[in-house]
Amino acid sequence: MLAHLPMLLLAQTALSTQTVVPEPVSVAAVDPQGGQIVTNQPGQAEAAPADAVPAAPADVVVTARRREERAQEVPLALTVVSGTDLAATGAFNVNRLQQLQPTLQFYSSNPRNSAINIRGLGAPFGLTNDGIEQGVGFYLDGVYVGRAGAATFDFVDVQRIEVLRGPQGTLYGKNTTAGAINVTTRAPSFTPEARFEVSGGNDDFVQVKGSASAPIIADKLAVRVSVSRTSRGGTIHDVASGMDVHRQDNFSARGQLLWRATPDLSFTLAGDFNLQNPLCCVQYYARVAPTQRPLNRQYAALAAAFNYAPPSTDPFDRVTDLDADLNAKQEMGGVSLVGNWDIGPATITSVSAWRYWDWKPANDRDFTGLPITTVSANPSHQTQKSQEFRIASNGKQRLQYTFGIFLFNQKIHTDGLQVQGPAASRWLLNPGASVPAGSSACAPVTANACNPAILNGLTSTNTIDFDNTSFAVFGKLNWEAFHNFHIQPGLRLNYDKKSGSYVAVVTTGTGSTVLNPDQRGVLAPQSYDPRFSAWNVSGDVTLSYDFTPDVHAYATYARSFKSGGINLSGLPLDASNNPILSAATVKPEKVNHFELGLKTQFADRRVTLNLAAFWDDIYDYQATVTNGQLGVIRGYLANADHVRVRGVEFDSSFRPSARFNIYGNGAYTDAKYVKFPDAPCPPELSGGTIATGAQTPAAPGTPGLSPAFCDISGQVMPGISKWSFSYGAEYNVPVGAGQVYLGYDGSYRSKFSSNPSYSAYMNIDGYSLSNFRLGYRHDDFNIYAWVRNAFDQHYFELLSAQSGSTGLIVGQPGDPRTFGGTITKSF
């Protein structure tokens, strides 16, 4: 399927994720766990006698270069999730997909502030910075999507999703140091077909999906159109407005036109449009942690001064009291043209694409019902253009090759706005010793903190521009040195150039640009133009051996780079409240990756067990950090000297009969800062007067002196659970000509840190989620009831600390229990 070549034809690793055959092929795909065989058509499992012994499952196969290849023979850690499994588990976006993949992490406080990680690597945990590079490549039908926020659309008419773990830079157009997610939609068909799916559930959940494909000119021209509409009521109640927030309101459409110019030359023109207008995203009171700020400047005293209390101190009561607008509207889409020309010994591929992303947010960034920060928004517009050419050998010669060229340009324009309210002075400034903790009296006025006019209306208008150009030449060989033993070296030459502009104009409530020290300490004017450019060479080599047709082993070493970045969220300030220009850029990450893998099937291929062990040393790791300034809302980028991520993974499945199958995946991940001696401090070591010279900082959580920085060497990295699992099973019984089935899918994550520097108050406890489904299917019809998060597990997706070291910790809770039903029908 020409429109669906998501990466360079992977001749060298025997991995192919697409087909160049224009008409749909019955491609077998493994379920999220690597073993259950499904087809492209939902609900096509046929009833069989209860005592039937299943034949050997069909090979888990994807096709490209007009030949089939078994995914089990691919010498890398790879998982394929079929469209059927996505529908059955309700995984209709990247956030839901992570529940099926233990080594995949997705973090999002809103669509713009989203990050996709694999094995804990990819993007730094924390708020997004426009100048950061992604370490996990996200591909939609072969087109690289330049930022995680633009990949948060609903999956529409998906055939399968492939998750590849580890560096992929010598085979992908864009360099990817941590892995890749490959979304493949269904291709146009020369046989008329249609699909329809409708779901409904509690909280007014409604989701409708439909697609249709047909020939326009027999064997020459075919079209496919797909649409999706999702809506859901809110799961959090805002007592101030009386509305339920965290709503979903999504629409997606995709069209494809396939032209088979000759038997050897085909083109696919594709376009998609996605609109999301949810009433989200809110974080609110989770807990309070002691800091080193004076007690009359910590949360309890500040709240008492305003006679303020949150509507609940139990975050799972799901109530908040927003006093600012809330929105997360985004629009995204693009067009692509993919061509394939089979010239006999090789196939030439071209992928041309243009995409855009519009982000129009509104937030309550003080996380309370008080008018502290009344506006904090960064509406953003992105466009990207990419062109990829590649040539890959056909057939199974002893020496296979792939070579490619990739060009990419991305432009982002952001108009940021932050406005302080009448409560900001008291909340952010020092009221002085004459004002007792908890006192609401501010007469006589002894400090600017007791004068609301000092910060009320203080406004920072930020104009941010970013231009990112990337060019790469890459290639990989696959040499069968002797029978069943392959040597697969790869090489990449990469050039990146980034330029940006950050201009922050700050005015007082009266419109003046003349600021006093207190005002400048909260919102400081900044103007700088960061630049970064560099060439780098990366490469990898894989040795693989096929012991038997069902036992395969491999060993990989990769030296990879993630491009340097520029800070485009404002810089930290020096003692005079001037921006520190040396922090305007961050150095490239350098990755040494080692991996050993074993892929096995036995018991007539009814049992699959795949193992992988990996070790990554990353130097100059790009981290998102914060500092002790009172008014800093967003973090900035910095380099950690050395981090290490290592672990082991397993994927397994067992199908003892045609009636029953079971799977289990797991990962152990050990991720630490090996050397980061000058990191920002956690909340309990922040907020006090900075210690100098021989002064000794106060104990954690004790008001007094704070360290200028903290040595977090040896501490755990944020966002990474040491243990994570996904598991499930399905049992069916014949009923008439069809089946009644009961399915279960579960996942577990152990606790993880939600702060760049480890904090005793910023851990998210481990949690498990359980999903059930019960239904009936026959041929092209499937109806089932489902319940997700069946035991109503209370858990946070992330925690954040309120700026200013007040001690307030806010959280974003995961979805509560949901239930409903789905009907699918194919024609």
Side-chain angles (χ1 to χ4, degrees), residues 572-630:
L573 307 180
D574 60 20
S576 301
N577 288 327
N578 293 312
I580 302 172
L581 295 179
S582 61
T585 62
V586 290
K587 294 179 285 188
E589 285 184 4
K590 298 175 284 291
V591 182
N592 284 327
H593 169 78
F594 304 86
E595 184 166 340
L596 296 174
L598 181 66
K599 293 188 167 185
T600 68
Q601 287 184 310
F602 47 94
D604 201 16
R605 293 186 180 173
R606 291 193 295 273
V607 178
T608 298
L609 176 61
N610 297 334
L611 305 171
F614 62 92
W615 185 304
D616 289 280
D617 282 300
I618 304 97
Y619 299 90
D620 293 323
Y621 173 78
Q622 296 168 3
T624 297
V625 298
T626 57
N627 62 17
Q629 294 166 223
L630 298 182

Short mmCIF file of all heavy atoms in Angstrom, two decimals, residues 572-630:
data_model
loop_
_atom_site.label_atom_id
_atom_site.label_comp_id
_atom_site.label_asym_id
_atom_site.label_seq_id
_atom_site.Cartn_x
_atom_site.Cartn_y
_atom_site.Cartn_z
N PRO A 572 16.18 31.54 32.71
CA PRO A 572 16.32 31.86 34.14
C PRO A 572 17.01 33.20 34.30
O PRO A 572 17.71 33.68 33.41
CB PRO A 572 17.15 30.69 34.67
CG PRO A 572 17.91 30.21 33.48
CD PRO A 572 17.00 30.39 32.32
N LEU A 573 16.80 33.82 35.45
CA LEU A 573 17.34 35.15 35.71
C LEU A 573 18.51 35.10 36.66
O LEU A 573 18.62 34.19 37.50
CB LEU A 573 16.25 36.05 36.30
CG LEU A 573 14.93 36.13 35.52
CD1 LEU A 573 13.95 37.05 36.24
CD2 LEU A 573 15.17 36.58 34.10
N ASP A 574 19.41 36.07 36.54
CA ASP A 574 20.53 36.18 37.47
C ASP A 574 20.08 36.99 38.69
O ASP A 574 18.89 37.31 38.85
CB ASP A 574 21.75 36.80 36.79
CG ASP A 574 21.48 38.20 36.24
OD1 ASP A 574 20.51 38.86 36.70
OD2 ASP A 574 22.25 38.65 35.37
N ALA A 575 21.04 37.33 39.54
CA ALA A 575 20.71 38.02 40.79
C ALA A 575 20.09 39.39 40.53
O ALA A 575 19.38 39.93 41.40
CB ALA A 575 21.95 38.15 41.66
N SER A 576 20.35 39.96 39.37
CA SER A 576 19.78 41.27 39.02
C SER A 576 18.50 41.14 38.20
O SER A 576 18.05 42.13 37.60
CB SER A 576 20.82 42.09 38.24
OG SER A 576 22.00 42.28 39.01
N ASN A 577 17.96 39.94 38.14
CA ASN A 577 16.74 39.65 37.38
C ASN A 577 16.90 39.90 35.89
O ASN A 577 15.95 40.29 35.20
CB ASN A 577 15.54 40.48 37.92
CG ASN A 577 15.06 39.96 39.26
OD1 ASN A 577 15.12 38.77 39.54
ND2 ASN A 577 14.59 40.87 40.11
N ASN A 578 18.10 39.64 35.38
CA ASN A 578 18.35 39.68 33.94
C ASN A 578 18.47 38.25 33.42
O ASN A 578 18.98 37.37 34.13
CB ASN A 578 19.63 40.46 33.64
CG ASN A 578 19.50 41.93 33.98
OD1 ASN A 578 18.52 42.58 33.61
ND2 ASN A 578 20.49 42.47 34.71
N PRO A 579 18.02 38.00 32.19
CA PRO A 579 18.09 36.63 31.66
C PRO A 579 19.53 36.15 31.50
O PRO A 579 20.43 36.92 31.12
CB PRO A 579 17.39 36.73 30.30
CG PRO A 579 17.43 38.18 29.95
CD PRO A 579 17.40 38.93 31.24
N ILE A 580 19.76 34.89 31.81
CA ILE A 580 21.08 34.28 31.69
C ILE A 580 21.21 33.74 30.27
O ILE A 580 20.71 32.66 29.94
CB ILE A 580 21.25 33.16 32.74
CG1 ILE A 580 21.04 33.72 34.15
CG2 ILE A 580 22.63 32.51 32.61
CD1 ILE A 580 21.00 32.66 35.23
N LEU A 581 21.87 34.48 29.40
CA LEU A 581 21.91 34.16 27.98
C LEU A 581 22.66 32.86 27.69
O LEU A 581 22.42 32.22 26.67
CB LEU A 581 22.54 35.31 27.20
CG LEU A 581 21.74 36.62 27.21
CD1 LEU A 581 22.48 37.69 26.42
CD2 LEU A 581 20.34 36.42 26.65
N SER A 582 23.56 32.45 28.57
CA SER A 582 24.30 31.21 28.34
C SER A 582 23.39 30.00 28.37
O SER A 582 23.76 28.92 27.91
CB SER A 582 25.41 31.05 29.39
OG SER A 582 24.86 30.99 30.70
N ALA A 583 22.17 30.16 28.92
CA ALA A 583 21.21 29.05 28.97
C ALA A 583 20.31 29.01 27.74
O ALA A 583 19.36 28.23 27.70
CB ALA A 583 20.35 29.16 30.23
N ALA A 584 20.61 29.82 26.72
CA ALA A 584 19.73 29.91 25.56
C ALA A 584 19.76 28.66 24.70
O ALA A 584 18.83 28.41 23.94
CB ALA A 584 20.08 31.14 24.72
N THR A 585 20.83 27.89 24.75
CA THR A 585 20.93 26.67 23.96
C THR A 585 21.30 25.50 24.85
O THR A 585 21.87 25.66 25.93
CB THR A 585 21.98 26.80 22.84
OG1 THR A 585 23.27 27.02 23.43
CG2 THR A 585 21.64 27.95 21.90
N VAL A 586 20.97 24.29 24.38
CA VAL A 586 21.39 23.06 25.03
C VAL A 586 22.13 22.20 24.03
O VAL A 586 21.84 22.22 22.83
CB VAL A 586 20.20 22.28 25.63
CG1 VAL A 586 19.63 23.00 26.83
CG2 VAL A 586 19.13 22.03 24.60
N LYS A 587 23.08 21.44 24.53
CA LYS A 587 23.92 20.62 23.66
C LYS A 587 23.17 19.38 23.20
O LYS A 587 22.20 18.95 23.82
CB LYS A 587 25.20 20.23 24.42
CG LYS A 587 26.11 21.40 24.74
CD LYS A 587 27.34 20.97 25.51
CE LYS A 587 27.00 20.67 26.96
NZ LYS A 587 28.21 20.42 27.78
N PRO A 588 23.63 18.76 22.09
CA PRO A 588 23.00 17.52 21.64
C PRO A 588 23.17 16.40 22.64
O PRO A 588 24.15 16.35 23.40
CB PRO A 588 23.73 17.20 20.32
CG PRO A 588 24.40 18.47 19.91
CD PRO A 588 24.70 19.21 21.18
N GLU A 589 22.20 15.49 22.66
CA GLU A 589 22.35 14.26 23.42
C GLU A 589 23.18 13.27 22.63
O GLU A 589 23.04 13.14 21.41
CB GLU A 589 20.98 13.62 23.71
CG GLU A 589 20.16 14.30 24.77
CD GLU A 589 18.87 13.54 25.05
OE1 GLU A 589 18.65 12.47 24.46
OE2 GLU A 589 18.07 14.04 25.84
N LYS A 590 24.02 12.55 23.34
CA LYS A 590 24.82 11.48 22.72
C LYS A 590 24.44 10.18 23.42
O LYS A 590 24.53 10.07 24.65
CB LYS A 590 26.30 11.79 22.86
CG LYS A 590 26.72 13.07 22.14
CD LYS A 590 28.17 13.42 22.38
CE LYS A 590 28.38 14.00 23.77
NZ LYS A 590 27.77 15.34 23.93
N VAL A 591 24.02 9.19 22.63
CA VAL A 591 23.46 7.96 23.17
C VAL A 591 24.31 6.78 22.74
O VAL A 591 24.60 6.60 21.55
CB VAL A 591 22.01 7.75 22.68
CG1 VAL A 591 21.42 6.48 23.27
CG2 VAL A 591 21.15 8.96 23.01
N ASN A 592 24.72 5.97 23.70
CA ASN A 592 25.31 4.66 23.45
C ASN A 592 24.27 3.61 23.84
O ASN A 592 23.89 3.51 25.02
CB ASN A 592 26.59 4.45 24.25
CG ASN A 592 27.76 5.20 23.66
OD1 ASN A 592 27.86 5.36 22.45
ND2 ASN A 592 28.66 5.68 24.50
N HIS A 593 23.83 2.85 22.86
CA HIS A 593 22.74 1.90 23.07
C HIS A 593 23.24 0.48 22.82
O HIS A 593 23.84 0.19 21.78
CB HIS A 593 21.59 2.21 22.12
CG HIS A 593 20.53 1.16 22.06
ND1 HIS A 593 19.56 1.01 23.02
CD2 HIS A 593 20.29 0.18 21.13
CE1 HIS A 593 18.76 0.00 22.70
NE2 HIS A 593 19.19 -0.53 21.57
N PHE A 594 22.96 -0.41 23.78
CA PHE A 594 23.30 -1.82 23.67
C PHE A 594 22.02 -2.63 23.88
O PHE A 594 21.23 -2.33 24.79
CB PHE A 594 24.34 -2.24 24.71
CG PHE A 594 25.61 -1.43 24.67
CD1 PHE A 594 25.72 -0.24 25.37
CD2 PHE A 594 26.70 -1.87 23.93
CE1 PHE A 594 26.89 0.51 25.34
CE2 PHE A 594 27.87 -1.14 23.91
CZ PHE A 594 27.97 0.06 24.61
N GLU A 595 21.84 -3.67 23.08
CA GLU A 595 20.63 -4.48 23.22
C GLU A 595 20.91 -5.92 22.82
O GLU A 595 21.60 -6.18 21.83
CB GLU A 595 19.49 -3.92 22.38
CG GLU A 595 18.17 -4.68 22.56
CD GLU A 595 16.98 -3.93 21.99
OE1 GLU A 595 17.09 -2.70 21.79
OE2 GLU A 595 15.95 -4.58 21.74
N LEU A 596 20.36 -6.85 23.60
CA LEU A 596 20.36 -8.28 23.29
C LEU A 596 18.91 -8.74 23.25
O LEU A 596 18.11 -8.36 24.11
CB LEU A 596 21.13 -9.08 24.35
CG LEU A 596 22.62 -8.80 24.50
CD1 LEU A 596 23.18 -9.57 25.69
CD2 LEU A 596 23.37 -9.19 23.23
N GLY A 597 18.59 -9.55 22.24
CA GLY A 597 17.22 -10.01 22.12
C GLY A 597 17.11 -11.45 21.70
O GLY A 597 17.99 -11.99 21.01
N LEU A 598 16.05 -12.11 22.13
CA LEU A 598 15.75 -13.48 21.76
C LEU A 598 14.27 -13.57 21.46
O LEU A 598 13.43 -13.17 22.27
CB LEU A 598 16.11 -14.44 22.90
CG LEU A 598 15.87 -15.93 22.64
CD1 LEU A 598 16.80 -16.44 21.54
CD2 LEU A 598 16.07 -16.74 23.93
N LYS A 599 13.94 -14.07 20.27
CA LYS A 599 12.55 -14.23 19.85
C LYS A 599 12.28 -15.71 19.62
O LYS A 599 12.99 -16.35 18.84
CB LYS A 599 12.27 -13.44 18.58
CG LYS A 599 12.35 -11.93 18.78
CD LYS A 599 11.89 -11.20 17.53
CE LYS A 599 11.67 -9.73 17.85
NZ LYS A 599 11.10 -9.00 16.70
N THR A 600 11.26 -16.25 20.30
CA THR A 600 11.00 -17.69 20.22
C THR A 600 9.52 -17.97 20.07
O THR A 600 8.66 -17.22 20.55
CB THR A 600 11.51 -18.41 21.49
OG1 THR A 600 10.70 -18.01 22.62
CG2 THR A 600 12.95 -18.08 21.77
N GLN A 601 9.23 -19.05 19.39
CA GLN A 601 7.89 -19.65 19.35
C GLN A 601 8.04 -21.15 19.45
O GLN A 601 9.02 -21.72 18.94
CB GLN A 601 7.17 -19.28 18.04
CG GLN A 601 6.70 -17.85 17.98
CD GLN A 601 5.91 -17.54 16.72
OE1 GLN A 601 6.36 -17.84 15.62
NE2 GLN A 601 4.75 -16.93 16.88
N PHE A 602 7.13 -21.79 20.14
CA PHE A 602 7.17 -23.24 20.26
C PHE A 602 5.75 -23.75 20.45
O PHE A 602 4.80 -22.98 20.41
CB PHE A 602 8.11 -23.68 21.39
CG PHE A 602 7.94 -22.94 22.69
CD1 PHE A 602 7.11 -23.44 23.69
CD2 PHE A 602 8.62 -21.76 22.92
CE1 PHE A 602 6.96 -22.77 24.88
CE2 PHE A 602 8.48 -21.08 24.12
CZ PHE A 602 7.65 -21.59 25.11
N ALA A 603 5.63 -25.08 20.67
CA ALA A 603 4.32 -25.74 20.74
C ALA A 603 3.53 -25.43 19.48
O ALA A 603 2.38 -24.96 19.54
CB ALA A 603 3.56 -25.34 22.00
N ASP A 604 4.17 -25.70 18.34
CA ASP A 604 3.53 -25.46 17.05
C ASP A 604 3.12 -23.99 16.90
O ASP A 604 2.07 -23.66 16.37
CB ASP A 604 2.30 -26.36 16.88
CG ASP A 604 1.92 -26.54 15.41
OD1 ASP A 604 2.76 -26.23 14.54
OD2 ASP A 604 0.78 -26.98 15.16
N ARG A 605 3.97 -23.12 17.42
CA ARG A 605 3.80 -21.67 17.35
C ARG A 605 2.57 -21.17 18.10
O ARG A 605 2.11 -20.04 17.87
CB ARG A 605 3.77 -21.18 15.90
CG ARG A 605 5.10 -21.36 15.18
CD ARG A 605 5.08 -20.73 13.80
NE ARG A 605 6.39 -20.92 13.16
CZ ARG A 605 6.65 -20.61 11.89
NH1 ARG A 605 5.69 -20.11 11.12
NH2 ARG A 605 7.84 -20.82 11.38
N ARG A 606 2.06 -21.95 19.01
CA ARG A 606 0.96 -21.47 19.84
C ARG A 606 1.46 -20.70 21.05
O ARG A 606 0.68 -20.03 21.73
CB ARG A 606 0.07 -22.64 20.27
CG ARG A 606 -0.72 -23.27 19.13
CD ARG A 606 -1.80 -24.20 19.64
NE ARG A 606 -1.24 -25.36 20.34
CZ ARG A 606 -0.87 -26.48 19.74
NH1 ARG A 606 -1.00 -26.59 18.42
NH2 ARG A 606 -0.39 -27.50 20.42
N VAL A 607 2.75 -20.80 21.34
CA VAL A 607 3.36 -20.05 22.44
C VAL A 607 4.43 -19.14 21.86
O VAL A 607 5.27 -19.58 21.07
CB VAL A 607 3.98 -21.00 23.48
CG1 VAL A 607 4.65 -20.19 24.59
CG2 VAL A 607 2.92 -21.93 24.06
N THR A 608 4.39 -17.89 22.25
CA THR A 608 5.39 -16.91 21.84
C THR A 608 6.02 -16.32 23.09
O THR A 608 5.32 -15.95 24.04
CB THR A 608 4.76 -15.79 21.01
OG1 THR A 608 4.20 -16.33 19.81
CG2 THR A 608 5.79 -14.73 20.64
N LEU A 609 7.35 -16.26 23.10
CA LEU A 609 8.07 -15.62 24.19
C LEU A 609 9.25 -14.86 23.60
O LEU A 609 10.16 -15.47 23.03
CB LEU A 609 8.57 -16.64 25.21
CG LEU A 609 9.42 -16.07 26.36
CD1 LEU A 609 8.62 -15.06 27.18
CD2 LEU A 609 9.94 -17.19 27.25
N ASN A 610 9.21 -13.55 23.71
CA ASN A 610 10.28 -12.69 23.23
C ASN A 610 10.91 -11.96 24.41
O ASN A 610 10.19 -11.45 25.29
CB ASN A 610 9.75 -11.68 22.22
CG ASN A 610 9.19 -12.34 20.97
OD1 ASN A 610 9.60 -13.45 20.61
ND2 ASN A 610 8.26 -11.67 20.32
N LEU A 611 12.23 -11.91 24.42
CA LEU A 611 12.98 -11.27 25.50
C LEU A 611 13.92 -10.23 24.93
O LEU A 611 14.47 -10.40 23.83
CB LEU A 611 13.78 -12.30 26.29
CG LEU A 611 13.02 -13.49 26.88
CD1 LEU A 611 13.99 -14.51 27.45
CD2 LEU A 611 12.06 -13.01 27.97
N ALA A 612 14.13 -9.16 25.67
CA ALA A 612 15.09 -8.13 25.27
C ALA A 612 15.71 -7.53 26.52
O ALA A 612 15.02 -7.31 27.52
CB ALA A 612 14.44 -7.05 24.42
N ALA A 613 17.00 -7.27 26.46
CA ALA A 613 17.71 -6.56 27.51
C ALA A 613 18.43 -5.38 26.86
O ALA A 613 19.02 -5.52 25.79
CB ALA A 613 18.71 -7.47 28.22
N PHE A 614 18.38 -4.22 27.50
CA PHE A 614 18.97 -3.03 26.89
C PHE A 614 19.71 -2.21 27.94
O PHE A 614 19.45 -2.29 29.14
CB PHE A 614 17.89 -2.17 26.22
CG PHE A 614 16.84 -1.65 27.18
CD1 PHE A 614 16.97 -0.42 27.80
CD2 PHE A 614 15.70 -2.41 27.46
CE1 PHE A 614 16.01 0.05 28.67
CE2 PHE A 614 14.74 -1.95 28.35
CZ PHE A 614 14.89 -0.71 28.95
N TRP A 615 20.65 -1.42 27.45
CA TRP A 615 21.46 -0.53 28.30
C TRP A 615 21.75 0.72 27.48
O TRP A 615 22.35 0.64 26.41
CB TRP A 615 22.74 -1.23 28.72
CG TRP A 615 23.59 -0.46 29.70
CD1 TRP A 615 24.10 0.80 29.55
CD2 TRP A 615 24.06 -0.92 30.97
NE1 TRP A 615 24.83 1.16 30.64
CE2 TRP A 615 24.83 0.13 31.53
CE3 TRP A 615 23.91 -2.10 31.68
CZ2 TRP A 615 25.46 0.01 32.78
CZ3 TRP A 615 24.53 -2.22 32.92
CH2 TRP A 615 25.29 -1.18 33.46
N ASP A 616 21.31 1.87 27.98
CA ASP A 616 21.54 3.14 27.31
C ASP A 616 22.29 4.10 28.23
O ASP A 616 21.85 4.35 29.36
CB ASP A 616 20.23 3.79 26.90
CG ASP A 616 19.54 3.06 25.77
OD1 ASP A 616 19.93 3.27 24.60
OD2 ASP A 616 18.61 2.27 26.04
N ASP A 617 23.40 4.60 27.75
CA ASP A 617 24.11 5.69 28.41
C ASP A 617 23.91 6.94 27.58
O ASP A 617 24.25 6.97 26.39
CB ASP A 617 25.61 5.37 28.53
CG ASP A 617 25.90 4.41 29.66
OD1 ASP A 617 25.58 4.73 30.82
OD2 ASP A 617 26.43 3.31 29.39
N ILE A 618 23.37 7.98 28.20
CA ILE A 618 23.07 9.22 27.50
C ILE A 618 23.89 10.33 28.14
O ILE A 618 23.81 10.56 29.36
CB ILE A 618 21.57 9.57 27.55
CG1 ILE A 618 20.73 8.42 26.99
CG2 ILE A 618 21.29 10.83 26.78
CD1 ILE A 618 20.17 7.48 28.05
N TYR A 619 24.68 11.00 27.32
CA TYR A 619 25.51 12.10 27.78
C TYR A 619 24.92 13.42 27.30
O TYR A 619 24.39 13.51 26.19
CB TYR A 619 26.94 11.92 27.30
CG TYR A 619 27.58 10.66 27.82
CD1 TYR A 619 27.49 9.47 27.11
CD2 TYR A 619 28.23 10.64 29.05
CE1 TYR A 619 28.04 8.29 27.60
CE2 TYR A 619 28.79 9.47 29.56
CZ TYR A 619 28.69 8.29 28.83
OH TYR A 619 29.23 7.13 29.32
N ASP A 620 24.98 14.44 28.15
CA ASP A 620 24.34 15.73 27.88
C ASP A 620 22.84 15.55 27.66
O ASP A 620 22.24 16.14 26.76
CB ASP A 620 24.98 16.43 26.67
CG ASP A 620 26.41 16.85 26.95
OD1 ASP A 620 26.69 17.26 28.08
OD2 ASP A 620 27.25 16.75 26.03
N TYR A 621 22.24 14.76 28.51
CA TYR A 621 20.80 14.51 28.44
C TYR A 621 20.04 15.82 28.58
O TYR A 621 20.32 16.64 29.47
CB TYR A 621 20.40 13.55 29.56
CG TYR A 621 18.93 13.33 29.72
CD1 TYR A 621 18.23 12.49 28.86
CD2 TYR A 621 18.22 13.96 30.74
CE1 TYR A 621 16.87 12.28 29.01
CE2 TYR A 621 16.86 13.75 30.90
CZ TYR A 621 16.20 12.91 30.03
OH TYR A 621 14.85 12.71 30.18
N GLN A 622 19.08 16.02 27.71
CA GLN A 622 18.29 17.26 27.71
C GLN A 622 17.13 17.12 28.68
O GLN A 622 16.19 16.35 28.44
CB GLN A 622 17.79 17.56 26.29
CG GLN A 622 18.92 17.83 25.31
CD GLN A 622 18.47 17.85 23.87
OE1 GLN A 622 17.27 17.71 23.58
NE2 GLN A 622 19.41 18.01 22.94
N ALA A 623 17.19 17.88 29.77
CA ALA A 623 16.20 17.79 30.83
C ALA A 623 15.41 19.09 30.89
O ALA A 623 15.93 20.18 30.61
CB ALA A 623 16.87 17.54 32.18
N THR A 624 14.13 18.99 31.27
CA THR A 624 13.32 20.16 31.57
C THR A 624 13.44 20.43 33.06
O THR A 624 13.16 19.55 33.88
CB THR A 624 11.85 19.94 31.19
OG1 THR A 624 11.77 19.75 29.77
CG2 THR A 624 11.01 21.15 31.56
N VAL A 625 13.85 21.63 33.42
CA VAL A 625 14.08 21.95 34.82
C VAL A 625 13.35 23.26 35.16
O VAL A 625 12.89 23.99 34.30
CB VAL A 625 15.59 22.10 35.12
CG1 VAL A 625 16.31 20.78 34.85
CG2 VAL A 625 16.21 23.21 34.27
N THR A 626 13.26 23.53 36.46
CA THR A 626 12.71 24.80 36.94
C THR A 626 13.71 25.40 37.90
O THR A 626 14.70 24.77 38.27
CB THR A 626 11.37 24.58 37.66
OG1 THR A 626 11.58 23.64 38.74
CG2 THR A 626 10.32 24.01 36.72
N ASN A 627 13.47 26.64 38.30
CA ASN A 627 14.35 27.24 39.31
C ASN A 627 13.52 27.89 40.39
O ASN A 627 12.30 27.78 40.40
CB ASN A 627 15.33 28.23 38.66
CG ASN A 627 14.61 29.40 37.99
OD1 ASN A 627 13.44 29.64 38.25
ND2 ASN A 627 15.32 30.11 37.14
N GLY A 628 14.18 28.57 41.31
CA GLY A 628 13.50 29.07 42.49
C GLY A 628 12.82 30.41 42.33
O GLY A 628 12.34 30.98 43.30
N GLN A 629 12.77 30.96 41.14
CA GLN A 629 12.15 32.27 40.96
C GLN A 629 10.65 32.19 41.24
O GLN A 629 9.98 31.24 40.86
CB GLN A 629 12.38 32.77 39.53
CG GLN A 629 13.84 33.05 39.21
CD GLN A 629 14.04 33.20 37.72
OE1 GLN A 629 14.99 32.69 37.19
NE2 GLN A 629 13.16 33.88 37.05
N LEU A 630 10.14 33.25 41.83
CA LEU A 630 8.75 33.22 42.25
C LEU A 630 7.80 33.16 41.07
O LEU A 630 6.78 32.49 41.10
CB LEU A 630 8.44 34.47 43.10
CG LEU A 630 9.22 34.60 44.41
CD1 LEU A 630 8.79 35.85 45.15
CD2 LEU A 630 9.03 33.38 45.28
#
